[in-house]
Amino acid sequence: MEDKDFLQFILSVKKMTGIDLALYKEAQMKRRLTSLRIKRGYSTFALYFEAISKDKELFYEFLDRMTINVSEFFRNPGRWEVLENKILPRLTKQSGRIKCWSAACSTGEEPYTLSLILLRKKIDATLLATDIDEGAIAKAKQGVYTDRSLQDCPPDLVSKYFAKDTHSYRILDEVKNKVTFKKHNLLADPFESQFDLIICRNVMIYFTEEAKHELYQKFSRALKPGGVLFVGSTEQIFQPHQYQLEAEDTFFYRKMG
């Protein structure tokens, strides 16, 4: 009965939103959503779906739980150093003005990290940032962060590009204005093309192997030859050649051709 209830929930969510929960790892997703449903006092997924389809706050909370919006500036700092000192110099030599995409950008720490690097290096670029969760995008556009989010951000960048409020830091418009935020479903929506750099980190771990395979194909098609896909520290691509990619550095994959 319980499985039938959850399967019906998956179908209802897909019909209402276009989000296919069947493409996420089932045990992980089911455990996460069951605890949220119980916390909110619904005895079945049928009742919970009825509630999220009527209540915007509940719906955004559901999206938030589903996508795990956990992020920090300069997460895994060593990898951002490689991006700044090795990958970006090559890309700018190749393209002049570069086109970048932060996919599944959560609450904005990742695209703003890239924006800070582009400002520091005086690189001319367009920067698209997308996420499935409108609540996360709204937070990203506000650009207000705790000191915990900034623990790995270089102090000179914090003092130059953030305004300190009582309990938080507000990112300055100079950084914000470099980023265009849009709602986008990686699993369902078409991708733009001709990117020099795509960053998609700590997202693939939630998807099934089939969904990952499909996404790597799409990311590869969205890159220019010589363009780079930057993935998370648990997301090594084991046979990159099947996606016309080759390792350029740890967690950086260059489009061949």
Side-chain angles (χ1 to χ4, degrees):
M1 247 340 259
E2 197 191 319
D3 279 351
K4 206 172 171 186
D5 181 40
F6 186 65
L7 289 173
Q8 186 53 53
F9 179 75
I10 287 174
L11 291 172
S12 302
V13 167
K14 188 176 181 184
K15 206 170 171 183
M16 179 174 86
T17 66
I19 298 165
D20 190 353
L21 295 178
L23 295 171
Y24 291 77
K25 289 177 180 169
E26 189 187 0
Q28 216 175 0
M29 181 60 63
K30 190 176 180 183
R31 190 170 59 244
R32 210 178 295 148
L33 294 179
T34 300
S35 73
L36 182 61
R37 165 176 71 72
I38 291 165
K39 185 180 161 191
R40 290 286 162 252
Y42 298 99
S43 56
T44 64
F45 276 106
L47 290 170
Y48 180 56
F49 177 75
E50 205 179 310
I52 66 170
S53 58
K54 290 175 185 164
D55 184 328
K56 218 170 189 178
E57 289 299 309
L58 272 182
F59 177 65
Y60 285 147
E61 184 187 46
F62 152 72
L63 273 185
D64 204 43
R65 180 60 60 93
M66 190 195 89
T67 52
I68 300 292
N69 289 317
V70 177
S71 193
E72 297 109 36
F73 284 82
F74 289 86
R75 187 174 183 176
N76 310 114
R79 297 297 88 208
W80 290 100
E81 280 172 31
V82 170
L83 179 72
E84 183 170 348
N85 299 319
K86 178 179 176 181
I87 307 293
L88 286 173
R90 180 180 67 73
L91 291 176
T92 48
K93 205 177 282 181
Q94 182 181 302
S95 289
R97 185 172 211 223
I98 61 170
K99 184 179 179 182
C100 310
W101 176 22
S102 171
C105 70
S106 184
T107 46
E109 290 89 338
E110 185 176 273
Y112 288 142
T113 296
L114 179 57
S115 182
L116 289 166
I117 290 171
L118 295 171
L119 280 164
R120 178 153 72 181
K121 302 298 273 190
K122 298 183 171 58
I123 292 171
D124 188 17
T126 62
L127 174 45
L128 172 67
T130 64
D131 201 89
I132 196 171
D133 182 349
E134 286 180 49
I137 291 173
K139 281 185 194 169
K141 285 178 174 176
Q142 283 172 355
V144 176
Y145 299 97
T146 63
D147 47 10
R148 184 184 159 276
S149 299
L150 290 162
Q151 62 191 4
D152 287 323
C153 190
D156 61 313
L157 292 180
V158 176
S159 58
K160 189 172 181 181
Y161 293 112
F162 291 83
K164 176 89 167 80
D165 295 330
T166 316
H167 299 295
S168 59
Y169 291 82
R170 191 167 28 84
I171 200 157
L172 300 186
D173 287 348
E174 191 180 350
V175 185
K176 272 173 140 179
N177 294 343
K178 279 197 165 299
V179 187
T180 304
F181 287 98
K182 282 184 187 169
K183 184 184 177 185
H184 183 268
N185 180 346
L186 281 176
L187 297 169
D189 294 336
F191 287 13
E192 285 185 32
S193 61
Q194 293 296 298
F195 286 104
D196 294 282
L197 174 67
I198 298 173
I199 304 176
C200 186
R201 306 173 78 217
N202 311 302
V203 179
M204 293 296 198
I205 46 173
Y206 302 117
F207 296 138
T208 62
E209 289 306 314
E210 293 77 10
K212 278 186 207 173
H213 177 70
E214 175 66 23
L215 280 173
Y216 287 137
Q217 298 276 24
K218 287 164 83 174
F219 280 134
S220 176
R221 286 195 291 269
L223 284 167
K224 280 181 189 171
V228 168
L229 174 64
F230 176 18
V231 301
S233 56
T234 56
E235 298 171 325
Q236 195 172 348
I237 305 173
F238 289 107
Q239 291 179 299
H241 284 70
Q242 65 180 313
Y243 308 113
Q244 290 79 56
L245 298 170
E246 58 188 356
E248 180 163 7
D249 205 296
T250 311
F251 311 119
F252 291 93
Y253 296 90
R254 180 173 50 217
K255 170 85 173 275
M256 295 157 71

